[in-house]
Amino acid sequence: MKNLKIGLVLGGGGARGLAHIGVIKGLLKHNIPLHCVTGASMGAIVGAAFCLLMDIEKVEQNFKHFIFSDKFVKLKGESVDLNSTEQPEGFFHYLTNIVKRRIVINLAINRRGLVDSDRLATAIQSLIPKVKIEHTHLPFACSALNLVTGQEQIFIRGDLHSALLASSSVPGYLPPAKMDGHEFVDGAVIDSFPIEACKELGADFTIVCDVSPELETQSKFDNLIQVFIRSYRAVVKRLNNENLKKADFLIRPQLADRSWTDFEAIEFFIQQGEIAVEQNIDLLKEKIKGKSGWSYLIKKKFSPEKTRV
């Protein structure tokens, strides 16, 4: 295992991505070395925090302190429930719902996001020191979608805060992040698991943590928003499943139907991440051992050396 470089890939998922903290805790508890980390959205934020501090207990402490602070409560504000299926009761409620729908439509036409990007920027600044990506203690990279080119963007150098903002700007919910004449949105849209980027950083063996919810059977779609969200999730799920085939090992914490906005459930998410590692640790060690054999090491020795660019 000493000669094998292990990379960790952390997927997006909002609050569900807090389970990544538990996964890292579990891996380190069992002496699984991590040599580089890549991520998208919340996976990028958690991964960056770890690569900078190199102390997952401190990362956990910082996240808990921030989530239960007055600053976070003010930043979170009122949630926007676009999935509400509440039926109007009486004529007054009927009129109220019409007004609500018109407000949402006007927001969609006149604004680039339902909430201001300052909220996310403040959260990132509170959790992550301001440094350049190339100055993290462990090699780190994160993904985003470049709206201008329509292509995936992998950030491996430059301002870390800007890269994390780009990787975490959920389209529709937050406005795109502007950088160098380009605009970026959540990396999970185009590549929730930047596995190839992890290999480019030098990983010989990739461990992927997937916190995305299962796509359960659904038979009722009451409005156009539900139809759109369902269609979007189905496409993303299929793309993710294809991408996950590139991973050497997959860890899926059991997070049930917990919402991507349920940050106050951080204890639950972290615990489930640790449990997922415990349930898979024997198989993981077996897989790592298999890739650390003599045949693999000889092949690696005569292969071109990977470098971080």
Side-chain angles (χ1 to χ4, degrees), residues 67-101:
I67 288 171
F68 294 108
S69 69
D70 292 336
K71 180 187 288 188
F72 180 76
V73 173
K74 292 177 181 177
L75 286 176
K76 192 174 182 183
E78 295 183 4
S79 61
V80 181
D81 183 10
L82 298 180
N83 290 311
S84 176
T85 57
E86 179 183 354
Q87 297 298 319
E89 298 176 5
F91 187 64
F92 177 74
H93 287 87
Y94 175 70
L95 288 178
T96 301
N97 276 2
I98 290 178
V99 172
K100 286 181 180 179
R101 292 192 194 101

PDB file of all heavy atoms in Angstrom, residues 67-101:
ATOM      1  N   ILE A  67     -22.616  25.710  11.104  1.00  0.00           N
ATOM      2  CA  ILE A  67     -24.012  25.359  10.834  1.00  0.00           C
ATOM      3  C   ILE A  67     -24.938  25.748  11.979  1.00  0.00           C
ATOM      4  O   ILE A  67     -26.094  26.135  11.754  1.00  0.00           O
ATOM      5  CB  ILE A  67     -24.124  23.848  10.528  1.00  0.00           C
ATOM      6  CG1 ILE A  67     -23.528  23.563   9.138  1.00  0.00           C
ATOM      7  CG2 ILE A  67     -25.570  23.362  10.601  1.00  0.00           C
ATOM      8  CD1 ILE A  67     -23.395  22.097   8.814  1.00  0.00           C
ATOM      9  N   PHE A  68     -24.433  25.695  13.213  1.00  0.00           N
ATOM     10  CA  PHE A  68     -25.273  26.037  14.359  1.00  0.00           C
ATOM     11  C   PHE A  68     -25.017  27.459  14.860  1.00  0.00           C
ATOM     12  O   PHE A  68     -25.369  27.807  15.989  1.00  0.00           O
ATOM     13  CB  PHE A  68     -25.075  25.020  15.484  1.00  0.00           C
ATOM     14  CG  PHE A  68     -25.562  23.646  15.117  1.00  0.00           C
ATOM     15  CD1 PHE A  68     -24.668  22.615  14.874  1.00  0.00           C
ATOM     16  CD2 PHE A  68     -26.915  23.395  14.975  1.00  0.00           C
ATOM     17  CE1 PHE A  68     -25.111  21.350  14.511  1.00  0.00           C
ATOM     18  CE2 PHE A  68     -27.369  22.141  14.616  1.00  0.00           C
ATOM     19  CZ  PHE A  68     -26.470  21.116  14.387  1.00  0.00           C
ATOM     20  N   SER A  69     -24.425  28.281  14.015  1.00  0.00           N
ATOM     21  CA  SER A  69     -24.158  29.677  14.367  1.00  0.00           C
ATOM     22  C   SER A  69     -25.279  30.586  13.889  1.00  0.00           C
ATOM     23  O   SER A  69     -26.052  30.238  12.983  1.00  0.00           O
ATOM     24  CB  SER A  69     -22.833  30.135  13.745  1.00  0.00           C
ATOM     25  OG  SER A  69     -22.941  30.217  12.333  1.00  0.00           O
ATOM     26  N   ASP A  70     -25.369  31.767  14.490  1.00  0.00           N
ATOM     27  CA  ASP A  70     -26.360  32.757  14.070  1.00  0.00           C
ATOM     28  C   ASP A  70     -26.104  33.190  12.629  1.00  0.00           C
ATOM     29  O   ASP A  70     -27.048  33.488  11.881  1.00  0.00           O
ATOM     30  CB  ASP A  70     -26.316  33.974  14.992  1.00  0.00           C
ATOM     31  CG  ASP A  70     -26.806  33.657  16.397  1.00  0.00           C
ATOM     32  OD1 ASP A  70     -27.582  32.679  16.549  1.00  0.00           O
ATOM     33  OD2 ASP A  70     -26.427  34.377  17.335  1.00  0.00           O
ATOM     34  N   LYS A  71     -24.837  33.216  12.234  1.00  0.00           N
ATOM     35  CA  LYS A  71     -24.490  33.620  10.872  1.00  0.00           C
ATOM     36  C   LYS A  71     -25.131  32.693   9.853  1.00  0.00           C
ATOM     37  O   LYS A  71     -25.689  33.148   8.850  1.00  0.00           O
ATOM     38  CB  LYS A  71     -22.963  33.616  10.681  1.00  0.00           C
ATOM     39  CG  LYS A  71     -22.533  34.025   9.270  1.00  0.00           C
ATOM     40  CD  LYS A  71     -21.039  33.849   9.073  1.00  0.00           C
ATOM     41  CE  LYS A  71     -20.253  34.886   9.821  1.00  0.00           C
ATOM     42  NZ  LYS A  71     -18.807  34.828   9.474  1.00  0.00           N
ATOM     43  N   PHE A  72     -25.086  31.385  10.112  1.00  0.00           N
ATOM     44  CA  PHE A  72     -25.663  30.426   9.169  1.00  0.00           C
ATOM     45  C   PHE A  72     -27.177  30.564   9.118  1.00  0.00           C
ATOM     46  O   PHE A  72     -27.780  30.483   8.036  1.00  0.00           O
ATOM     47  CB  PHE A  72     -25.283  28.998   9.548  1.00  0.00           C
ATOM     48  CG  PHE A  72     -25.847  27.958   8.611  1.00  0.00           C
ATOM     49  CD1 PHE A  72     -25.283  27.756   7.364  1.00  0.00           C
ATOM     50  CD2 PHE A  72     -26.954  27.196   8.965  1.00  0.00           C
ATOM     51  CE1 PHE A  72     -25.806  26.818   6.481  1.00  0.00           C
ATOM     52  CE2 PHE A  72     -27.479  26.254   8.098  1.00  0.00           C
ATOM     53  CZ  PHE A  72     -26.900  26.067   6.857  1.00  0.00           C
ATOM     54  N   VAL A  73     -27.802  30.762  10.270  1.00  0.00           N
ATOM     55  CA  VAL A  73     -29.264  30.926  10.315  1.00  0.00           C
ATOM     56  C   VAL A  73     -29.687  32.108   9.453  1.00  0.00           C
ATOM     57  O   VAL A  73     -30.655  32.031   8.690  1.00  0.00           O
ATOM     58  CB  VAL A  73     -29.747  31.130  11.764  1.00  0.00           C
ATOM     59  CG1 VAL A  73     -31.236  31.476  11.784  1.00  0.00           C
ATOM     60  CG2 VAL A  73     -29.489  29.881  12.590  1.00  0.00           C
ATOM     61  N   LYS A  74     -28.938  33.208   9.538  1.00  0.00           N
ATOM     62  CA  LYS A  74     -29.262  34.393   8.738  1.00  0.00           C
ATOM     63  C   LYS A  74     -29.003  34.137   7.254  1.00  0.00           C
ATOM     64  O   LYS A  74     -29.754  34.596   6.394  1.00  0.00           O
ATOM     65  CB  LYS A  74     -28.420  35.582   9.212  1.00  0.00           C
ATOM     66  CG  LYS A  74     -28.786  36.073  10.604  1.00  0.00           C
ATOM     67  CD  LYS A  74     -27.871  37.207  11.049  1.00  0.00           C
ATOM     68  CE  LYS A  74     -28.229  37.666  12.442  1.00  0.00           C
ATOM     69  NZ  LYS A  74     -27.300  38.733  12.928  1.00  0.00           N
ATOM     70  N   LEU A  75     -27.931  33.412   6.952  1.00  0.00           N
ATOM     71  CA  LEU A  75     -27.604  33.119   5.558  1.00  0.00           C
ATOM     72  C   LEU A  75     -28.633  32.201   4.924  1.00  0.00           C
ATOM     73  O   LEU A  75     -29.009  32.375   3.763  1.00  0.00           O
ATOM     74  CB  LEU A  75     -26.228  32.455   5.460  1.00  0.00           C
ATOM     75  CG  LEU A  75     -25.004  33.344   5.668  1.00  0.00           C
ATOM     76  CD1 LEU A  75     -23.749  32.492   5.643  1.00  0.00           C
ATOM     77  CD2 LEU A  75     -24.928  34.419   4.601  1.00  0.00           C
ATOM     78  N   LYS A  76     -29.097  31.225   5.692  1.00  0.00           N
ATOM     79  CA  LYS A  76     -30.037  30.247   5.148  1.00  0.00           C
ATOM     80  C   LYS A  76     -31.362  30.898   4.801  1.00  0.00           C
ATOM     81  O   LYS A  76     -31.946  30.617   3.757  1.00  0.00           O
ATOM     82  CB  LYS A  76     -30.245  29.109   6.153  1.00  0.00           C
ATOM     83  CG  LYS A  76     -30.963  27.913   5.552  1.00  0.00           C
ATOM     84  CD  LYS A  76     -31.010  26.765   6.533  1.00  0.00           C
ATOM     85  CE  LYS A  76     -31.695  25.550   5.908  1.00  0.00           C
ATOM     86  NZ  LYS A  76     -31.813  24.433   6.861  1.00  0.00           N
ATOM     87  N   GLY A  77     -31.828  31.797   5.675  1.00  0.00           N
ATOM     88  CA  GLY A  77     -33.063  32.508   5.391  1.00  0.00           C
ATOM     89  C   GLY A  77     -34.232  31.572   5.214  1.00  0.00           C
ATOM     90  O   GLY A  77     -34.266  30.448   5.724  1.00  0.00           O
ATOM     91  N   GLU A  78     -35.223  32.029   4.456  1.00  0.00           N
ATOM     92  CA  GLU A  78     -36.413  31.215   4.195  1.00  0.00           C
ATOM     93  C   GLU A  78     -36.143  30.262   3.042  1.00  0.00           C
ATOM     94  O   GLU A  78     -35.607  30.655   2.019  1.00  0.00           O
ATOM     95  CB  GLU A  78     -37.605  32.112   3.851  1.00  0.00           C
ATOM     96  CG  GLU A  78     -38.045  33.002   5.008  1.00  0.00           C
ATOM     97  CD  GLU A  78     -39.266  33.820   4.646  1.00  0.00           C
ATOM     98  OE1 GLU A  78     -39.797  33.615   3.531  1.00  0.00           O
ATOM     99  OE2 GLU A  78     -39.674  34.648   5.461  1.00  0.00           O
ATOM    100  N   SER A  79     -36.499  29.010   3.209  1.00  0.00           N
ATOM    101  CA  SER A  79     -36.312  28.032   2.134  1.00  0.00           C
ATOM    102  C   SER A  79     -37.377  28.223   1.064  1.00  0.00           C
ATOM    103  O   SER A  79     -38.473  28.704   1.326  1.00  0.00           O
ATOM    104  CB  SER A  79     -36.396  26.598   2.693  1.00  0.00           C
ATOM    105  OG  SER A  79     -37.662  26.387   3.270  1.00  0.00           O
ATOM    106  N   VAL A  80     -37.026  27.841  -0.156  1.00  0.00           N
ATOM    107  CA  VAL A  80     -37.956  27.941  -1.278  1.00  0.00           C
ATOM    108  C   VAL A  80     -38.425  26.539  -1.641  1.00  0.00           C
ATOM    109  O   VAL A  80     -37.650  25.730  -2.134  1.00  0.00           O
ATOM    110  CB  VAL A  80     -37.272  28.603  -2.505  1.00  0.00           C
ATOM    111  CG1 VAL A  80     -38.266  28.724  -3.645  1.00  0.00           C
ATOM    112  CG2 VAL A  80     -36.715  29.965  -2.117  1.00  0.00           C
ATOM    113  N   ASP A  81     -39.677  26.244  -1.373  1.00  0.00           N
ATOM    114  CA  ASP A  81     -40.206  24.905  -1.623  1.00  0.00           C
ATOM    115  C   ASP A  81     -40.902  24.868  -2.980  1.00  0.00           C
ATOM    116  O   ASP A  81     -42.059  25.247  -3.113  1.00  0.00           O
ATOM    117  CB  ASP A  81     -41.187  24.511  -0.511  1.00  0.00           C
ATOM    118  CG  ASP A  81     -41.707  23.090  -0.685  1.00  0.00           C
ATOM    119  OD1 ASP A  81     -41.153  22.379  -1.543  1.00  0.00           O
ATOM    120  OD2 ASP A  81     -42.641  22.719   0.034  1.00  0.00           O
ATOM    121  N   LEU A  82     -40.172  24.377  -3.996  1.00  0.00           N
ATOM    122  CA  LEU A  82     -40.741  24.303  -5.333  1.00  0.00           C
ATOM    123  C   LEU A  82     -41.473  22.993  -5.569  1.00  0.00           C
ATOM    124  O   LEU A  82     -42.051  22.787  -6.621  1.00  0.00           O
ATOM    125  CB  LEU A  82     -39.629  24.462  -6.382  1.00  0.00           C
ATOM    126  CG  LEU A  82     -38.892  25.796  -6.342  1.00  0.00           C
ATOM    127  CD1 LEU A  82     -37.828  25.809  -7.428  1.00  0.00           C
ATOM    128  CD2 LEU A  82     -39.834  26.967  -6.504  1.00  0.00           C
ATOM    129  N   ASN A  83     -41.456  22.098  -4.594  1.00  0.00           N
ATOM    130  CA  ASN A  83     -42.081  20.787  -4.773  1.00  0.00           C
ATOM    131  C   ASN A  83     -43.418  20.679  -4.042  1.00  0.00           C
ATOM    132  O   ASN A  83     -44.002  19.605  -3.968  1.00  0.00           O
ATOM    133  CB  ASN A  83     -41.153  19.683  -4.258  1.00  0.00           C
ATOM    134  CG  ASN A  83     -39.954  19.522  -5.153  1.00  0.00           C
ATOM    135  OD1 ASN A  83     -40.086  19.424  -6.353  1.00  0.00           O
ATOM    136  ND2 ASN A  83     -38.775  19.510  -4.561  1.00  0.00           N
ATOM    137  N   SER A  84     -43.878  21.796  -3.495  1.00  0.00           N
ATOM    138  CA  SER A  84     -45.105  21.753  -2.710  1.00  0.00           C
ATOM    139  C   SER A  84     -46.290  21.288  -3.546  1.00  0.00           C
ATOM    140  O   SER A  84     -46.519  21.748  -4.654  1.00  0.00           O
ATOM    141  CB  SER A  84     -45.414  23.140  -2.133  1.00  0.00           C
ATOM    142  OG  SER A  84     -46.648  23.120  -1.445  1.00  0.00           O
ATOM    143  N   THR A  85     -47.045  20.336  -2.994  1.00  0.00           N
ATOM    144  CA  THR A  85     -48.232  19.842  -3.698  1.00  0.00           C
ATOM    145  C   THR A  85     -49.492  20.194  -2.916  1.00  0.00           C
ATOM    146  O   THR A  85     -50.540  19.582  -3.091  1.00  0.00           O
ATOM    147  CB  THR A  85     -48.159  18.308  -3.869  1.00  0.00           C
ATOM    148  OG1 THR A  85     -48.016  17.700  -2.577  1.00  0.00           O
ATOM    149  CG2 THR A  85     -46.996  17.918  -4.747  1.00  0.00           C
ATOM    150  N   GLU A  86     -49.391  21.198  -2.044  1.00  0.00           N
ATOM    151  CA  GLU A  86     -50.522  21.601  -1.215  1.00  0.00           C
ATOM    152  C   GLU A  86     -51.697  22.043  -2.097  1.00  0.00           C
ATOM    153  O   GLU A  86     -51.545  22.843  -3.015  1.00  0.00           O
ATOM    154  CB  GLU A  86     -50.096  22.754  -0.310  1.00  0.00           C
ATOM    155  CG  GLU A  86     -51.218  23.259   0.587  1.00  0.00           C
ATOM    156  CD  GLU A  86     -50.773  24.452   1.413  1.00  0.00           C
ATOM    157  OE1 GLU A  86     -49.586  24.786   1.362  1.00  0.00           O
ATOM    158  OE2 GLU A  86     -51.642  25.026   2.090  1.00  0.00           O
ATOM    159  N   GLN A  87     -52.893  21.520  -1.822  1.00  0.00           N
ATOM    160  CA  GLN A  87     -54.077  21.844  -2.606  1.00  0.00           C
ATOM    161  C   GLN A  87     -54.793  23.048  -2.001  1.00  0.00           C
ATOM    162  O   GLN A  87     -54.930  23.163  -0.782  1.00  0.00           O
ATOM    163  CB  GLN A  87     -55.044  20.639  -2.624  1.00  0.00           C
ATOM    164  CG  GLN A  87     -54.457  19.417  -3.296  1.00  0.00           C
ATOM    165  CD  GLN A  87     -54.135  19.666  -4.757  1.00  0.00           C
ATOM    166  OE1 GLN A  87     -54.893  20.300  -5.463  1.00  0.00           O
ATOM    167  NE2 GLN A  87     -52.985  19.175  -5.196  1.00  0.00           N
ATOM    168  N   PRO A  88     -55.267  23.971  -2.848  1.00  0.00           N
ATOM    169  CA  PRO A  88     -55.957  25.158  -2.336  1.00  0.00           C
ATOM    170  C   PRO A  88     -57.294  24.794  -1.709  1.00  0.00           C
ATOM    171  O   PRO A  88     -58.007  23.925  -2.196  1.00  0.00           O
ATOM    172  CB  PRO A  88     -56.153  26.013  -3.598  1.00  0.00           C
ATOM    173  CG  PRO A  88     -56.161  25.042  -4.724  1.00  0.00           C
ATOM    174  CD  PRO A  88     -55.186  23.967  -4.316  1.00  0.00           C
ATOM    175  N   GLU A  89     -57.643  25.479  -0.609  1.00  0.00           N
ATOM    176  CA  GLU A  89     -58.909  25.246   0.071  1.00  0.00           C
ATOM    177  C   GLU A  89     -59.706  26.547   0.039  1.00  0.00           C
ATOM    178  O   GLU A  89     -59.384  27.499   0.732  1.00  0.00           O
ATOM    179  CB  GLU A  89     -58.668  24.802   1.521  1.00  0.00           C
ATOM    180  CG  GLU A  89     -57.898  23.496   1.626  1.00  0.00           C
ATOM    181  CD  GLU A  89     -57.596  23.153   3.070  1.00  0.00           C
ATOM    182  OE1 GLU A  89     -58.064  23.888   3.956  1.00  0.00           O
ATOM    183  OE2 GLU A  89     -56.899  22.154   3.301  1.00  0.00           O
ATOM    184  N   GLY A  90     -60.717  26.566  -0.776  1.00  0.00           N
ATOM    185  CA  GLY A  90     -61.534  27.761  -0.869  1.00  0.00           C
ATOM    186  C   GLY A  90     -60.970  28.760  -1.866  1.00  0.00           C
ATOM    187  O   GLY A  90     -59.838  28.652  -2.321  1.00  0.00           O
ATOM    188  N   PHE A  91     -61.776  29.767  -2.160  1.00  0.00           N
ATOM    189  CA  PHE A  91     -61.410  30.734  -3.186  1.00  0.00           C
ATOM    190  C   PHE A  91     -60.210  31.577  -2.780  1.00  0.00           C
ATOM    191  O   PHE A  91     -59.326  31.877  -3.599  1.00  0.00           O
ATOM    192  CB  PHE A  91     -62.608  31.652  -3.467  1.00  0.00           C
ATOM    193  CG  PHE A  91     -62.395  32.576  -4.623  1.00  0.00           C
ATOM    194  CD1 PHE A  91     -62.223  32.087  -5.912  1.00  0.00           C
ATOM    195  CD2 PHE A  91     -62.354  33.949  -4.425  1.00  0.00           C
ATOM    196  CE1 PHE A  91     -62.030  32.937  -6.977  1.00  0.00           C
ATOM    197  CE2 PHE A  91     -62.143  34.806  -5.486  1.00  0.00           C
ATOM    198  CZ  PHE A  91     -61.982  34.302  -6.775  1.00  0.00           C
ATOM    199  N   PHE A  92     -60.082  31.963  -1.515  1.00  0.00           N
ATOM    200  CA  PHE A  92     -58.961  32.796  -1.066  1.00  0.00           C
ATOM    201  C   PHE A  92     -57.633  32.062  -1.244  1.00  0.00           C
ATOM    202  O   PHE A  92     -56.663  32.618  -1.750  1.00  0.00           O
ATOM    203  CB  PHE A  92     -59.141  33.184   0.404  1.00  0.00           C
ATOM    204  CG  PHE A  92     -57.988  33.969   0.955  1.00  0.00           C
ATOM    205  CD1 PHE A  92     -57.807  35.304   0.610  1.00  0.00           C
ATOM    206  CD2 PHE A  92     -57.045  33.364   1.795  1.00  0.00           C
ATOM    207  CE1 PHE A  92     -56.728  36.018   1.098  1.00  0.00           C
ATOM    208  CE2 PHE A  92     -55.973  34.082   2.273  1.00  0.00           C
ATOM    209  CZ  PHE A  92     -55.814  35.415   1.941  1.00  0.00           C
ATOM    210  N   HIS A  93     -57.577  30.795  -0.857  1.00  0.00           N
ATOM    211  CA  HIS A  93     -56.367  30.014  -1.015  1.00  0.00           C
ATOM    212  C   HIS A  93     -56.037  29.818  -2.489  1.00  0.00           C
ATOM    213  O   HIS A  93     -54.875  29.778  -2.886  1.00  0.00           O
ATOM    214  CB  HIS A  93     -56.515  28.646  -0.325  1.00  0.00           C
ATOM    215  CG  HIS A  93     -56.477  28.725   1.161  1.00  0.00           C
ATOM    216  ND1 HIS A  93     -57.595  28.968   1.909  1.00  0.00           N
ATOM    217  CD2 HIS A  93     -55.441  28.622   2.037  1.00  0.00           C
ATOM    218  CE1 HIS A  93     -57.277  28.997   3.195  1.00  0.00           C
ATOM    219  NE2 HIS A  93     -55.975  28.797   3.302  1.00  0.00           N
ATOM    220  N   TYR A  94     -57.076  29.688  -3.301  1.00  0.00           N
ATOM    221  CA  TYR A  94     -56.870  29.533  -4.739  1.00  0.00           C
ATOM    222  C   TYR A  94     -56.177  30.769  -5.313  1.00  0.00           C
ATOM    223  O   TYR A  94     -55.201  30.658  -6.066  1.00  0.00           O
ATOM    224  CB  TYR A  94     -58.223  29.324  -5.415  1.00  0.00           C
ATOM    225  CG  TYR A  94     -58.147  29.258  -6.935  1.00  0.00           C
ATOM    226  CD1 TYR A  94     -57.569  28.161  -7.570  1.00  0.00           C
ATOM    227  CD2 TYR A  94     -58.661  30.293  -7.706  1.00  0.00           C
ATOM    228  CE1 TYR A  94     -57.505  28.099  -8.950  1.00  0.00           C
ATOM    229  CE2 TYR A  94     -58.598  30.241  -9.087  1.00  0.00           C
ATOM    230  CZ  TYR A  94     -58.014  29.139  -9.697  1.00  0.00           C
ATOM    231  OH  TYR A  94     -57.949  29.087 -11.067  1.00  0.00           O
ATOM    232  N   LEU A  95     -56.658  31.952  -4.929  1.00  0.00           N
ATOM    233  CA  LEU A  95     -56.050  33.194  -5.401  1.00  0.00           C
ATOM    234  C   LEU A  95     -54.617  33.330  -4.881  1.00  0.00           C
ATOM    235  O   LEU A  95     -53.714  33.791  -5.594  1.00  0.00           O
ATOM    236  CB  LEU A  95     -56.882  34.401  -4.934  1.00  0.00           C
ATOM    237  CG  LEU A  95     -58.236  34.592  -5.632  1.00  0.00           C
ATOM    238  CD1 LEU A  95     -58.954  35.794  -5.032  1.00  0.00           C
ATOM    239  CD2 LEU A  95     -58.039  34.801  -7.125  1.00  0.00           C
ATOM    240  N   THR A  96     -54.403  32.925  -3.642  1.00  0.00           N
ATOM    241  CA  THR A  96     -53.066  33.007  -3.056  1.00  0.00           C
ATOM    242  C   THR A  96     -52.073  32.164  -3.851  1.00  0.00           C
ATOM    243  O   THR A  96     -50.943  32.593  -4.126  1.00  0.00           O
ATOM    244  CB  THR A  96     -53.082  32.512  -1.591  1.00  0.00           C
ATOM    245  OG1 THR A  96     -53.981  33.317  -0.849  1.00  0.00           O
ATOM    246  CG2 THR A  96     -51.694  32.589  -0.978  1.00  0.00           C
ATOM    247  N   ASN A  97     -52.474  30.960  -4.236  1.00  0.00           N
ATOM    248  CA  ASN A  97     -51.593  30.087  -5.011  1.00  0.00           C
ATOM    249  C   ASN A  97     -51.292  30.658  -6.389  1.00  0.00           C
ATOM    250  O   ASN A  97     -50.186  30.506  -6.912  1.00  0.00           O
ATOM    251  CB  ASN A  97     -52.222  28.694  -5.149  1.00  0.00           C
ATOM    252  CG  ASN A  97     -51.939  27.819  -3.941  1.00  0.00           C
ATOM    253  OD1 ASN A  97     -51.306  28.280  -3.000  1.00  0.00           O
ATOM    254  ND2 ASN A  97     -52.417  26.596  -3.957  1.00  0.00           N
ATOM    255  N   ILE A  98     -52.279  31.321  -7.007  1.00  0.00           N
ATOM    256  CA  ILE A  98     -52.046  31.954  -8.302  1.00  0.00           C
ATOM    257  C   ILE A  98     -50.978  33.037  -8.171  1.00  0.00           C
ATOM    258  O   ILE A  98     -50.057  33.143  -8.995  1.00  0.00           O
ATOM    259  CB  ILE A  98     -53.351  32.564  -8.864  1.00  0.00           C
ATOM    260  CG1 ILE A  98     -54.310  31.450  -9.286  1.00  0.00           C
ATOM    261  CG2 ILE A  98     -53.055  33.488 -10.052  1.00  0.00           C
ATOM    262  CD1 ILE A  98     -55.644  31.957  -9.815  1.00  0.00           C
ATOM    263  N   VAL A  99     -51.065  33.833  -7.109  1.00  0.00           N
ATOM    264  CA  VAL A  99     -50.080  34.894  -6.864  1.00  0.00           C
ATOM    265  C   VAL A  99     -48.695  34.298  -6.664  1.00  0.00           C
ATOM    266  O   VAL A  99     -47.693  34.779  -7.210  1.00  0.00           O
ATOM    267  CB  VAL A  99     -50.485  35.745  -5.640  1.00  0.00           C
ATOM    268  CG1 VAL A  99     -49.361  36.718  -5.279  1.00  0.00           C
ATOM    269  CG2 VAL A  99     -51.764  36.516  -5.925  1.00  0.00           C
ATOM    270  N   LYS A 100     -48.623  33.222  -5.895  1.00  0.00           N
ATOM    271  CA  LYS A 100     -47.337  32.573  -5.650  1.00  0.00           C
ATOM    272  C   LYS A 100     -46.713  32.090  -6.950  1.00  0.00           C
ATOM    273  O   LYS A 100     -45.513  32.254  -7.187  1.00  0.00           O
ATOM    274  CB  LYS A 100     -47.521  31.377  -4.694  1.00  0.00           C
ATOM    275  CG  LYS A 100     -47.755  31.768  -3.248  1.00  0.00           C
ATOM    276  CD  LYS A 100     -47.907  30.522  -2.390  1.00  0.00           C
ATOM    277  CE  LYS A 100     -48.141  30.876  -0.940  1.00  0.00           C
ATOM    278  NZ  LYS A 100     -48.314  29.652  -0.102  1.00  0.00           N
ATOM    279  N   ARG A 101     -47.528  31.474  -7.819  1.00  0.00           N
ATOM    280  CA  ARG A 101     -47.013  30.978  -9.091  1.00  0.00           C
ATOM    281  C   ARG A 101     -46.485  32.123  -9.954  1.00  0.00           C
ATOM    282  O   ARG A 101     -45.462  32.000 -10.609  1.00  0.00           O
ATOM    283  CB  ARG A 101     -48.116  30.218  -9.844  1.00  0.00           C
ATOM    284  CG  ARG A 101     -48.524  28.909  -9.187  1.00  0.00           C
ATOM    285  CD  ARG A 101     -49.396  28.088 -10.127  1.00  0.00           C
ATOM    286  NE  ARG A 101     -50.049  27.007  -9.404  1.00  0.00           N
ATOM    287  CZ  ARG A 101     -51.316  27.031  -9.002  1.00  0.00           C
ATOM    288  NH1 ARG A 101     -52.061  28.089  -9.253  1.00  0.00           N
ATOM    289  NH2 ARG A 101     -51.829  26.002  -8.364  1.00  0.00           N
TER     290      ARG A 101
END
